[in-house]
Amino acid sequence: MIIGAGLAGCEAAWAAAQRDISVKLYEMRPLKMTAAHRTDGLAELVCSNSLGSALPDKAPGLLRAEMQMLDSLLMKIADECRVPAGSALAVDRSLFSIKVNEAIESHPRIELIRKEITEIPRDQVVIVASGPLTSDALAADLSKLIGEEHLYFFDALAPIIEGDSIDQKIAFAGSRYNRGVTEKGDYLNCPFTREEYEAFVSALLTAETIPLKPFEEAIRSGVKAGKGLFFEGCLPIEILAARGMDALAFGPLRPIGLIDPRTGRRPWAVLQLRLEDNFASAYNMVGFQTNLRYPEQDRVFRLIPGLAEASFLRYGQMHRNSYINAPAQLNQFLQLKSHPNVFIAGQLSGIEGYMGNIASGLMSGMNAASYLKREPYLQLPEETMITSLIRSITSADPESFQPIKANMGILPALKEPVKQKTDRAHKLSQRSLIALKTFLLKNSAKMDPAEQ
Ligand SMILES: Cc1cc2nc3c(=O)[nH]c(=O)nc-3n(C[C@H](O)[C@H](O)[C@H](O)COP(=O)(O)OP(=O)(O)OC[C@H]3O[C@@H](n4cnc5c(N)ncnc54)[C@H](O)[C@@H]3O)c2cc1C
């Protein structure tokens, strides 16, 4: 049984059915719509029609190449529906959805049922792929299954910046009062003079924001959102800034305990950038959850000293997003540790972005098929982006877990470090594809999908 015929659910259904499993795929639309979907089509792309870069040296492109090798349905259809968009894989979204519908509905082992599922059967093998806008009744049942404290309803995401794009002639390493600094330097600090700070705050206050949907207004006002979760500490940076010119300098940009080694003095204000991975390839802008439009984030956040050339791996966001505490709840096969018959895929598993969600659907479908057939799971090589992404969500710190998007920094480091970023990305990508190809050759008998 698969709940949700979105990106992850359709890919999962196909992967399982191709492995000889009979699938019942449940989709609640159009009987019950979500706040973001507009059609009754399967695998509807709710926002952008771009699946990210198609280049294998970029994270979405590497996921694409890996999924192509694993016979992904959605990758095949995406290629058939591709529209010109430079190096990005953009698709005609209507055609994409139509073709997914056709493939799913014509598969002899998939039955598509239009119905809202309100309870997760405890005695069946189930893939829950109901997405960021999981219906309330199902979310309530999932809470019962895993514990209310492990299901989140909103996202307040701060942007993530590529490490190499930060100007380290301006940003300095060090943590407040030099507490707990590791060799890698846990934080980079962007120091503001008073003039720079005031110019930044003024730009922030006049920047354009994304209009919030009614359910998202809850975040803005900081009221209780969903069950058991408060967002007092997660207000958007622009809302905090509106409280007065000094609000940020006394809040997330407070300079206390930080001395700029180049001046020997405490800056007027400081943005702290926190390491996101072990390779210093990505940094989180501490306290910078925001509702600014993406181009505005480019414009305004680049006014911060040290970030003039910043390249954003993820923009800040505030939106309704149901996801579980994956490191606490999921094993590496995307099964609930407490209920191994239940697999979680897609955004609900804490993966961000279309491509990552499709990849998790593919893996959950393959794994559920192995589970049902009592066969060992196929463990893809560690070097692949798919494995790295799942490793990232399942081995993160459960205390501070936030959804993760595929990026090159989550791949295991190269044995021989490569300084140049593009060369490094190329080597990482080649290593992953060769490892996967070798793996597939060795395991061809196990991989062979059943004849239709
Ligand atoms: C508003 C918004 C915009 C986004 N924009 C982008 C973007 O531009 N680029 C990007 O990479 N990512 C984006 N994302 C993030 C994410 O990649 C997408 O949401 C993606 O569609 C998630 O895939 P999924 O399969 O997990 O969920 P979905 O594609 O949403 O599929 C889940 C399906 O489950 C169904 N469902 C829900 N509850 C039930 C139930 N109880 N019973 C039966 N069916 C149910 C839903 O109707 C839906 O069809 C966005 C997310 C949101 C919320």
Side-chain angles (χ1 to χ4, degrees), residues 3-8 26-29 34 36-37 46-48 115-117 129-135 138 319-320 346-347 353-354 357:
I3 309 174
L7 297 180
Y26 288 87
E27 172 52 55
M28 68 177 186
R29 289 176 293 120
T34 76
H37 290 82
V46 280
C47 187
S48 165
K115 181 180 174 197
E116 179 193 2
I117 298 296
S130 44
L133 306 167
T134 291
S135 74
L138 183 64
H319 64 69
R320 164 85 192 251
Q347 187 102 358
Y354 293 153
N357 285 317

Side-chain angles (χ1 to χ4, degrees), residues 43-58:
E44 177 181 334
L45 298 174
V46 280
C47 187
S48 165
N49 69 330
S50 169
L51 303 181
S53 174
L55 304 174
D57 292 0
K58 303 273 184 198

Side-chain angles (χ1 to χ4, degrees), residues 192-213:
F192 290 85
T193 61
R194 183 176 187 165
E195 294 69 38
E196 287 165 340
Y197 171 81
E198 289 181 356
F200 168 70
V201 172
S202 304
L204 186 59
L205 290 176
T206 50
E208 221 184 317
T209 55
I210 298 169
L212 290 173
K213 301 216 167 67

